[in-house]
Every structure is written in C-alpha cells, then in structure tokens.
Amino acid sequence: MATVEQVGRRVSAAEAREVAEAAREKEWAAASFVRDLFLGKFRVDLIHPYPQTDPEEDARARPFLAALEKFLREKVDADRIDREGEIPPEVIAGLKELGAFGIKIPREYGGLGLSQISYMRAMELVASVCGSLTALLSAHQSIGVPQPLKLFGTEEQKKTYFPRLARGAVSAFALTEPGVGSDPAAMETTAVPSEDGTAWILNGEKLWCTNGPVADLVVVMARTPSKIVDGKEKRQITAFLVDTSWPGVEVGHRCDFMGLKAMYNGALRFHNVRVPRENVLWGEGKGLKLALVTLNTGRLTLPITTVAAGKNCLRISREWAAERVQWGRPIGKHDAIAQKIGAMAASTFAAEAVAELCGFLSERGYDIRLEAAIAKLYNSETGWRIIDDTVQIRGGRGYETADSLRARGEKPVPVERIMRDFRINLIFEGSSEIMHLFIAREALDRHLQIAGDLIVPGTSGSEKLRAFVRAALFYAWWYPSRWLGWSRWPRYREFGTLAGHLRFVERSARRLARGVFHCMVRHGPKLEHRQALLFRLVDVGAELFAMAAVCARAQMLLRSDGAAGERAVRIADLFCQHARRRVRLKFKGLWSNDDVPTYGLAQEVLRGEHLWLEQGVVNRN
Ligand SMILES: Cc1cc2nc3c(=O)[nH]c(=O)nc-3n(C[C@H](O)[C@H](O)[C@H](O)COP(=O)(O)OP(=O)(O)OC[C@H]3O[C@@H](n4cnc5c(N)ncnc54)[C@H](O)[C@@H]3O)c2cc1C
C-alpha cells in the first residue's frame, strides 16, 4: 500500500515556497485591472461604465432578498445568539426554508441560482444583523462545498451533492491544522489509496473548521503520496469531499473565540476514514490550487460584510454624535469627532465601491484574483478603523455590552459586539500579511518572468545571458514608457470634478510600476525579505484601485440619479483626497523609512536581549 511519510519535521522556507508556487495560478487568460495597474497601465475601460446588475437577475433576487430581510428583522435576536453562543434551531430552519443555504447553487439542482452580486447583497443583509449567522452561511457557501463543487465538481458529484446542499445540508472547509496556518506545506493530514484502489484512507486532524461541529459535508485537504518530477519529490495536496456521517469522522473540541460566539467552529478528526475514489475534487494533487481558486470569489464575502459594518457604524455614529452633548455642543460639532465621521462616510462609500465592483468584475469573467485579495485586505482593514472610531465616538458606551446598556435602560447599541465579531476578518481567509505577500508576488510576476534568472541565485551562466538579452529588449521600451504619459492633460472629462483623481491614478500607476522595478533592481533577491517595502507598494496599488472604483461608482450614480449622484461625487472627491495623501506617504516611505533598524530591534527582542523591557509585571503563562 502507498504511504505518505509523516511530516513531523519542520518544512524549510524553500519547500514552503515550492508548495505555494506549485499551487499558484500561473496563467492570466482573462483581463485583470489590478495586474495592469501594477505594470503601469490604467485600464479605465475595464471598470467604466460601471457595471450594473442585469434587470432579470434583479427581478429574480428581489423577492428572496425581501423575504430574507423580513426574516432577519423579525426572527433573529443577535444579542441573544451572542449571549447564549448558539443559533436557535428555528433560525437555521427558517434560513434553509428561504433557500439561504443554496443562493448560488444552480436552479436545476434545487438552488436559487442567483448571481455572485445577489449572493453578496444577501450576505450584506445577514452581516448587518449577526456575525455568527454570517459565519455559518459564508463558511458554507463561500469556501464550503457548494463553491468548489460548482467550479470543479464532475456532473456525478453535482447531481449527488448539490440537491442536498440546496436543501440545507451544512458544509465546511478544512485546511488548517495545528501546525498548518498560512503555510500549508507542513500538512500532516494524509490520504493513501486503499489496497483495492476503490477509495482513499484519510487520517489526521483539522483545526478551527468553521461549521465543522455541525457540518454534514466537508471539503478536506490532505497530503497524498508525493510524485517524483525530474528526480525531485513534489508534495501533493488533494481535496476530498467527505460526508461527516462516515465511520471514523469525529468532532473534537468546539472552539470559543473573542467574538462570533455562536459560530460552530472546532477540530475535526479523521481516523481511517474510507473516502470513495469518486469523492476526490478536481484531481489528485490539485487540492491547494482548488483552495486558492475557490477563495478568489470566496474572498468577496468578507469585503461586503465590511460594508454592512460600515453602514451600521455610520448610523450609530451619526445618531450618537447628534444626540450626545458635551462641553455645550453635540459631540459631532467638535472637530475631532467630525473628522472621524467624515472619514467614516468616505470610507464606507469606498468599501462598497470596492466590494461591489469586484463582484461585477467576477461576473463579467475577468480574472479577479488580485482584485479580490485587495478587496479582502483593504475592506477588512478599513472596517476595523471604522469600528474603532465608532467605539471612540460612543465613548464609554462603545465599550459597554448591549445587554448591559439595555439593563440600565439605554438603547442596546451593540458596538462592543460588532468590534469583537469583526476582528477575525483581518486573520482568516488569508491574513492581511498573506494578502500583501500574495499581491506582491503577482505584482512582481512579469518582472520575474523577464529578468528573474538575472537575480535569482543558482541560475547558470547561459540562463543569465538569455535573461539579460530578454530584459534588455523588454526594458528598453517598457521603462521609458513608464515615465512618459499624458495624464496631466485634460483626460477623463466625462468624470467632471473627479477627472483629476483619475489622472492621478494613471500617473501613480506608472510611478508604482517604476517603484516595483526600482525596488527589484536595488534589492535583488533580498527584496523578498523586505516585506515592509513590498507592503507599501501593495498599499499604493490598493489605494489606486479603491480610487478608481470610487470614481467609477460615483459617476454611475450621477448618471442614474442626479441629486443623490451629486452627493456621491462629493464623497468620492473627499475619499480621493484622503487616498492621495496616503499614496504620497507610501511612495515616500519606499525611500525614507526605518525598516532596517526596526527589523534589527525585533531580532534583538526575539533573541531575548531586551527582557528588561518586560520586567515589573506578573507573568502567569
Ligand atoms: C474563527 C476562525 C475561523 C476559521 N475558519 C477556518 C475554516 O473554516 N477552515 C480552515 O481551514 N481554517 C479556518 N481558520 C484558520 C485561519 O484561516 C487561520 O487562522 C489563518 O490561515 C492564519 O493561520 P494561523 O492562525 O495559524 O496563523 P499563522 O500562519 O501562524 O500566522 C501568525 C501571524 O504571522 C503572520 N505570517 C504568517 N506567515 C507570514 C509570512 N510569510 N510573512 C509575514 N507574516 C506572516 C500571519 O499573517 C499572522 O499574523 C479559522 C480561524 C479562526 C480563528
């Protein structure tokens, strides 16, 4: 019988990189706005005119969204769910009844067959009411079985599982293990072919599996026997569709977190679980790629939940800042609070533009892997700032629980819960750091294709010579053209007052492309380790994408609804002013920063050279 040697040892950085590279999508078959942006090309035609929902789709989604909204309003008590740590069975049953577990599952298999945008609208409604419910529905549909099944399932698999899922069978996605977080190379869950070859035998333990404790079906990633390619061992990770009723599947500890108190999240154990051969998803060795591709659209749920948080916070801040009087004036009249509210309004508009545009671009068939990563990164970080400001604006009441406020006879505004529930968004489905690295890798991709052999150690003399010729030919045209452009001319006139911002995006895209190139030339292979520099480049790209999305959306609103559109344009204008300042600062930081001494101090801390800083407190851990 084939075996998979256990990976009890640490995986080296090179091995980890190799596994990640093998899973990377290397082709760019469809257009990508952000990839072009990093290369200095501003493809406004890809986002303008701003896409709109198909009226037929709108008409089909409307009754479902209306029923969902009514259900959430009348039947869901989010404070109770948070307090008790359980979602009442009747709430889950009601959501199943509405079809909320099969929003994107095609109609021929019993689902609602709605689009990505309609799904996002539904998740915005859910997220505006209850984080734990959002986790349940999103883990099931964004990363759980329906999405990879739709993308990679065989007809047989779809016929077997879609109807069950549409009826409300709960699903989950199990990748993480105690030793496997952001880096999957050290995966220890294994699957080996059974002796008769009809099944795989699955063994191992998964951690933090959202919906795991209540799931009927789980996508499980496991190591399968390595392949030898060109004399080298290539690790294989394969995705399996596992029914939790099968013998050997066991639910372990249900985890309890800072927030999302009623999320069903826990460890799953697999002991000699016999998985039929036909339950491999996509193919042997394609598991990690499946996870990454699934997440390209799966990642769009978190950005839209940020929009829900932003809208709630804006309302809460508006009401409180008008009502609360201190020092003789409503606090909203004090400049410090007003600044926060102004920025919050602009950021909420931007978060919606970013999330919605990504949803539309994915429906148009564009390659949105970078857009989705930016949306996840940008919106979750923006959302956290908005919530932090809302807590501050609410003062002591921002820190008090809704139950305690209610008990004192005050309005039970749940800012404290919103903050606890939101924090995980910066960690799961690709932490902020991993999103930065993922985007940076793709931003550098074209340069690595052209000149990688020149800077990567270990390439032969002839490879270096070939790379030199290739780079000389490419950069002779590319580099000067990143300096020349017409973006100070009166272009983009149809955007009215926003045209100047789009010209800034165009100019800055060229500056960004030059920045990427200059960093590569200056730091060579060491650039990989200069994460703070790479992150600044990514942050500039993210701001430029947000600016473009905001301008395109405001322009669309202006055309479709004059008065509201004019207000949107003013907000977009302010957002772009804020973003331009942030972009300038990030560019400046590329050449003037304290990254090296800061890294140095961190290493001293890690070596224990500054334990004196930690003295004077009680250490009980
Ligand atoms: C509430 C919750 C729900 C979850 N749901 C699921 C689920 O349904 N299915 C599932 O499979 N997993 C799930 N996870 C796991 C989640 O996806 C991981 O927590 C996440 O991938 C990060 O892994 P980690 O926590 O092990 O952090 P680590 O990977 O150990 O990272 C720790 C810190 O180091 C940073 N870091 C790591 N590598 C680098 C690097 N190369 N450069 C710079 N910084 C780096 C990270 O960003 C992070 O800040 C869930 C986790 C939680 C807490």
Side-chain angles (χ1 to χ4, degrees):
M1 188 198 282
T3 58
V4 181
E5 71 289 6
Q6 290 298 314
V7 201
R9 65 192 174 89
R10 280 192 175 199
V11 170
S12 70
E15 284 172 306
R17 193 185 311 112
E18 202 175 287
V19 170
E21 278 295 316
R24 231 188 101 233
E25 285 178 83
K26 294 178 184 66
E27 304 302 320
W28 291 89
S32 163
F33 178 84
V34 169
R35 178 173 148 94
D36 279 343
L37 204 63
F38 277 104
L39 287 167
K41 272 189 278 172
F42 176 40
R43 292 278 315 270
V44 74
D45 58 300
L46 296 182
I47 58 161
H48 174 71
Y50 190 83
Q52 307 247 30
T53 334
D54 165 27
E56 241 177 67
E57 166 73 17
D58 250 355
R60 283 199 314 110
R62 211 173 299 123
F64 165 67
L65 294 175
L68 180 64
E69 186 181 355
K70 185 169 184 296
F71 181 84
L72 291 166
R73 193 187 300 283
E74 294 174 0
K75 307 280 187 214
V76 177
D77 177 349
D79 287 329
R80 180 184 153 200
I81 288 175
D82 180 60
R83 192 185 316 123
E84 295 178 355
E86 297 290 340
I87 301 174
E90 63 275 15
V91 170
I92 297 180
L95 288 169
K96 287 182 180 176
E97 182 82 3
L98 286 171
F101 280 77
I103 301 175
K104 289 191 290 176
I105 293 178
R107 274 178 289 177
E108 66 262 35
Y109 300 108
L112 297 183
L114 294 174
S115 68
Q116 174 67 22
I117 279 285
S118 300
Y119 168 72
M120 286 165 66
R121 297 215 161 108
M123 294 313 292
E124 185 182 353
L125 290 174
V126 178
S128 68
V129 173
C130 178
S132 296
L133 269 191
T134 312
L136 173 75
L137 291 176
S138 159
H140 167 67
Q141 289 172 101
S142 293
I143 56 173
V145 178
Q147 187 69 12
L149 188 61
K150 192 170 169 183
L151 292 172
F152 306 109
T154 62
E155 195 44 46
E156 240 3 81
Q157 289 171 334
K158 288 179 185 174
K159 275 193 197 141
T160 310
Y161 291 106
F162 265 152
R164 264 182 82 186
L165 292 158
R167 281 196 301 275
V170 176
S171 73
F173 172 85
L175 171 68
T176 304
E177 297 177 7
V180 174
S182 308
D183 160 24
M187 188 170 288
E188 292 194 51
T189 297
T190 60
V192 292
S194 64
E195 270 172 10
D196 62 4
T198 62
W200 291 83
I201 308 300
L202 183 67
N203 279 289
E205 178 169 345
K206 294 291 179 181
L207 181 65
W208 293 332
C209 181
T210 303
N211 290 352
V214 292
D216 302 285
L217 298 165
V218 188
V219 180
V220 182
M221 305 295 160
R223 269 197 74 196
T224 43
S226 297
K227 295 225 159 102
I228 303 297
V229 179
D230 298 333
K232 271 183 75 183
E233 181 199 344
K234 292 271 176 216
R235 283 159 187 262
Q236 304 287 301
I237 294 174
T238 302
F240 297 92
L241 210 164
V242 174
D243 191 319
T244 56
S245 66
W246 290 341
V249 182
E250 190 189 313
V251 176
H253 170 72
R254 180 179 163 191
C255 304
D256 181 26
F257 299 98
M258 171 195 292
L260 300 176
K261 289 291 185 184
M263 173 171 46
Y264 296 100
N265 179 300
L268 284 182
R269 289 196 202 103
F270 306 98
H271 183 67
N272 288 332
V273 178
R274 200 179 162 85
V275 184
R277 211 174 44 184
E278 52 276 17
N279 275 37
V280 168
L281 270 170
W282 200 9
E284 205 183 321
K286 292 186 169 176
L288 213 47
K289 202 168 205 164
L290 172 140
L292 294 181
V293 176
T294 300
L295 276 168
N296 283 343
T297 43
R299 258 192 204 115
L300 294 182
T301 308
L302 292 187
I304 201 69
T305 65
T306 296
V307 178
K311 289 177 179 177
N312 272 341
C313 284
L314 193 59
R315 177 179 44 74
I316 291 166
S317 299
R318 170 177 58 75
E319 288 174 358
W320 185 246
E323 180 190 332
R324 177 72 168 170
V325 176
Q326 291 289 285
W327 307 91
R329 314 170 83 190
I331 57 169
K333 295 274 184 196
H334 296 302
D335 188 46
I337 300 297
Q339 293 296 327
K340 292 189 205 305
I341 294 173
M344 193 183 293
S347 299
T348 301
F349 182 75
E352 185 157 19
V354 165
E356 188 181 67
L357 180 62
C358 288
F360 279 127
L361 293 180
S362 84
E363 281 183 0
R364 283 186 168 185
Y366 291 156
D367 190 324
I368 59 144
R369 75 187 95 147
L370 287 177
E371 285 76 358
I374 285 185
K376 198 281 175 181
L377 166 67
Y378 194 81
N379 278 17
S380 54
E381 303 257 339
T382 300
W384 181 244
R385 272 196 306 276
I386 289 175
I387 293 168
D388 191 33
D389 280 348
T390 306
V391 171
Q392 195 68 15
I393 290 167
R394 287 274 299 165
R397 287 165 180 82
Y399 195 66
E400 190 172 4
T401 66
D403 281 347
S404 174
L405 287 163
R406 190 185 290 106
R408 291 198 295 108
E410 288 207 25
K411 198 169 162 186
V413 180
V415 179
E416 175 266 349
R417 168 166 58 80
I418 293 175
M419 181 173 237
R420 279 190 286 110
D421 283 355
F422 193 88
R423 185 58 182 83
I424 187 62
N425 288 347
L426 285 77
I427 297 172
F428 61 13
E429 293 189 15
S431 67
S432 290
E433 289 78 14
I434 296 302
M435 289 296 88
H436 273 106
L437 293 176
F438 172 76
I439 297 161
R441 169 65 187 86
E442 299 307 336
L444 287 172
D445 187 47
R446 187 83 183 106
H447 299 289
L448 292 176
Q449 281 171 10
I450 300 288
D453 286 347
L454 275 178
I455 54 172
V456 172
T459 42
S460 67
S462 62
E463 281 168 330
K464 279 205 191 314
L465 184 64
R466 268 201 304 276
F468 179 77
V469 174
R470 204 166 50 229
L473 289 173
F474 176 77
Y475 289 114
W477 163 82
W478 184 86
Y479 186 70
S481 69
R482 297 312 101 165
W483 285 94
L484 302 170
W486 303 107
S487 55
R488 286 192 189 274
W489 287 66
R491 297 184 71 181
Y492 312 114
R493 277 212 188 111
E494 72 270 32
F495 285 87
T497 51
L498 300 177
H501 297 310
L502 291 177
R503 293 198 289 272
F504 176 88
V505 174
E506 188 179 337
R507 277 198 306 281
S508 302
R510 282 200 297 275
R511 191 173 170 196
L512 175 62
R514 296 195 305 265
V516 170
F517 177 72
H518 292 156
C519 283
M520 227 180 77
V521 171
R522 182 168 169 192
H523 299 286
K526 293 204 179 95
L527 181 57
E528 184 188 349
H529 304 294
R530 296 295 305 267
Q531 293 186 340
L533 280 184
L534 290 171
F535 285 21
R536 286 186 193 99
L537 291 166
V538 168
D539 288 339
V540 169
E543 292 287 1
L544 298 182
F545 176 56
M547 284 177 71
V550 157
C551 291
R553 181 160 187 261
Q555 183 62 16
M556 175 276 290
L557 292 172
L558 186 65
R559 254 182 294 126
S560 59
D561 184 354
E566 273 171 31
R567 288 196 290 270
V569 167
R570 274 200 302 116
I571 291 176
D573 184 33
L574 183 67
F575 171 80
C576 289
Q577 297 294 359
H578 289 171
R580 285 169 80 151
R581 278 182 219 291
R582 290 191 293 264
V583 166
R584 287 193 196 102
L585 223 59
K586 293 281 176 190
F587 272 135
K588 207 168 151 216
L590 288 179
W591 309 108
S592 167
N593 57 61
D594 305 308
D595 297 348
V596 172
T598 309
Y599 185 86
L601 176 58
Q603 301 317 304
E604 287 171 18
V605 169
L606 293 173
R607 285 195 297 269
E609 291 171 20
H610 294 290
L611 295 182
W612 60 275
L613 278 171
E614 300 169 17
Q615 283 165 13
V617 294
V618 180
N619 177 1
R620 296 186 56 193
N621 295 320

